[in-house]
Amino acid sequence: MIDAAPEVYHLGYGDESALSRLHEAMLPGEKGLDVRQARGLRIGLLMVDDDIVVWAPTPRAVEAERESVEQNGIVLTASDAGANETDAESAASAAASVPNSQDLALEAVAKVLEVLKTNPAVPFDLSRKTRVFSTKFQFIELTRSGAEWTQRTMTLSSLLLNADLPAALRDILDTAIRPFKNSADQKFRVALVVDGQRAFDEKGERLMVNKSQAELSNDWDAILEQYLCDVQPFGKLIPREDVPRMQKAIDAYLESVRAWVTAFEKGIRENREENSKMIVEAIVHRMAKLPLKSQLDDDDIRVQVEKSLKKIGITEPSVRIVIKDVAWSSTRDEEFLAAIKRAVPPEALDGSFNEFTAAPEKVNDAPE
């Protein structure tokens, strides 16, 4: 009895050549063998006199070829079931006789469950069709926004900033101002983060530290260096199992950045008048070189400057994460493989791309 559906052979439960031989044996002109079929049957059973062989066929589209030390079946003989043994005892005796078998440790089960938490199985109705390639690495794109306050710019009319220049030149010059550039070294109190983890004192309270924007930027670079592999020119990779830890590190980092931005915003509001005065004085100084009729009133200049300062948007600090799996075709690209070998240590790269989770190409051993 077999399952003769095409899907059986697509998954690697059966072999086309074996099915052809069975077909020949069923032909009326040959032996005329009678064969029954049952949809979904996945059991191997062979009975010879008093001996029984039971095994589970291997789906080669999911598992690689088995090694000689791997068993997936047992042999039952008349001696396995003694007169004084119960059915449960007989089954336990048969299981214990499987070569290379051993007791399953509780710690081993816990370890498997931990792996499945960080790298869960895909939905099984989907994995049957797509689980033909697995990789320990994924492509990742990280976009940080709202954190670089000292780089924020305000725009003013070119007539204000470049009033003393010829009109033809004035129109092609950049008129942006970074009003907070001089505040880059200011430090504000934020929560301390150590190796991507929030730090607490013995009372369970958050530890605080004074940091500048440059120091927060260094913290961000440290996260990228710790978790990402720069595979030029293809992009950045991250080990799949590191994604949850990286996410926790980013969450802790964003908490500190948001605290810094809140304090910085408060500071620039208090110093807005001073910033405005500094910019107005610079414009008035350049305006003084113009004929009197071309000069603007100081109050008009101040209004325009303050209006532009207020327009600098307040953006909530955030990080956008986009993760994509490495395509099977990429692992066939010699340039990609060379690049990843340069970026990733050999011990971390070992077993990263399992090309043949599906059945490997069959090699014809027959002589030519």
Side-chain angles (χ1 to χ4, degrees):
M1 183 178 295
I2 65 169
D3 183 351
E7 183 183 37
V8 172
Y9 303 92
H10 291 157
L11 291 174
Y13 277 110
D15 186 86
E16 182 180 354
S17 61
L19 184 63
S20 296
R21 292 178 61 183
L22 181 62
H23 178 259
E24 292 174 359
M26 295 172 61
L27 293 175
E30 300 292 331
K31 301 177 182 178
L33 184 66
D34 291 330
V35 179
R36 296 180 63 82
Q37 66 172 332
R39 181 70 172 172
L41 184 65
R42 300 292 185 269
I43 298 173
L45 179 65
L46 176 64
M47 301 179 64
V48 180
D49 298 330
D50 294 332
D51 297 332
I52 302 175
V53 181
V54 184
W55 73 94
T58 301
R60 289 177 292 169
V62 178
E63 295 186 19
E65 290 286 344
R66 287 182 174 270
E67 302 292 339
S68 59
V69 296
E70 297 176 333
Q71 285 76 33
N72 67 330
I74 59 176
V75 178
L76 298 175
T77 65
S79 61
D80 289 327
N84 297 324
E85 288 184 316
T86 64
D87 290 343
E89 291 172 337
S90 177
S93 176
S97 66
V98 175
N100 301 306
S101 66
Q102 57 187 353
D103 292 335
L104 178 61
L106 186 63
E107 295 78 9
V109 177
K111 185 176 181 180
V112 172
L113 291 174
E114 184 63 27
V115 171
L116 290 175
K117 284 182 180 179
T118 59
N119 187 15
V122 299
F124 290 107
D125 59 337
L126 182 64
S127 65
R128 183 181 58 180
K129 300 181 182 125
T130 63
R131 208 173 135 197
V132 296
F133 170 71
S134 65
T135 170
K136 285 168 52 179
F137 287 89
Q138 294 176 296
F139 281 111
I140 184 169
E141 297 177 7
L142 295 176
T143 306
R144 183 181 54 152
S145 61
E148 301 292 341
W149 259 87
T150 61
Q151 301 300 320
R152 298 287 182 90
T153 60
M154 58 180 287
T155 56
L156 291 173
S157 167
S158 183
L159 181 60
L160 289 179
L161 290 180
N162 305 311
D164 58 335
L165 296 177
L169 183 60
R170 181 196 310 153
D171 293 338
I172 63 175
L173 290 180
D174 184 9
T175 60
I177 297 178
R178 295 186 177 90
F180 314 127
K181 184 67 175 178
N182 294 335
S183 302
D185 295 331
Q186 290 190 27
K187 294 189 176 184
F188 299 97
R189 198 165 178 79
V190 299
L192 177 63
V193 178
V194 179
D195 292 332
Q197 302 293 324
R198 298 173 175 87
F200 299 84
D201 61 18
E202 63 276 3
K203 297 180 180 179
E205 298 180 357
R206 292 296 302 275
L207 292 175
M208 307 297 288
V209 65
N210 291 325
K211 285 202 172 187
S212 66
Q213 177 179 274
E215 290 171 327
L216 287 173
S217 182
N218 290 338
D219 291 343
W220 173 251
D221 292 339
I223 292 176
L224 301 184
E225 183 177 355
Q226 179 178 357
Y227 291 103
L228 306 189
C229 304
D230 194 2
V231 184
Q232 292 295 338
F234 298 93
K236 292 180 170 57
L237 293 179
I238 182 172
R240 188 187 298 270
E241 62 180 12
D242 285 350
V243 172
R245 288 192 291 271
M246 183 200 65
Q247 183 64 67
K248 289 183 179 180
I250 290 177
D251 291 342
Y253 166 79
L254 283 175
E255 184 179 348
S256 295
V257 171
R258 287 165 182 154
W260 189 92
V261 168
T262 299
F264 185 82
E265 288 176 332
K266 180 180 179 181
I268 63 174
R269 283 196 298 268
E270 295 172 352
N271 297 326
R272 180 171 290 160
E273 183 176 347
E274 180 180 344
N275 286 332
S276 176
K277 180 181 178 182
M278 178 180 62
I279 297 172
V280 169
E281 287 178 351
I283 294 175
V284 170
H285 177 74
R286 302 189 72 171
M287 282 274 185
K289 300 178 182 180
L290 299 178
L292 186 61
K293 64 178 180 178
S294 300
Q295 297 179 17
L296 296 178
D297 183 81
D298 290 5
D299 290 335
D300 292 334
I301 297 174
R302 184 175 297 104
V303 169
Q304 293 190 44
V305 170
E306 291 180 352
K307 184 178 179 180
S308 295
L309 275 171
K310 292 179 181 179
K311 283 184 177 180
I312 298 181
I314 299 175
T315 305
E316 178 74 6
S318 63
V319 174
R320 182 172 179 264
I321 303 175
V322 178
I323 297 178
K324 301 177 182 178
D325 286 330
V326 176
W328 176 85
S329 58
S330 295
T331 65
R332 307 289 289 180
D333 187 322
E334 293 183 2
E335 184 179 355
F336 174 79
L337 293 176
I340 196 173
K341 287 179 180 178
R342 290 193 299 268
V344 181
E347 61 274 14
L349 191 58
D350 185 38
S352 296
F353 304 114
N354 296 321
E355 180 178 343
F356 289 117
T357 50
E361 181 180 358
K362 184 176 181 180
V363 178
N364 186 4
D365 295 328
E368 297 182 357

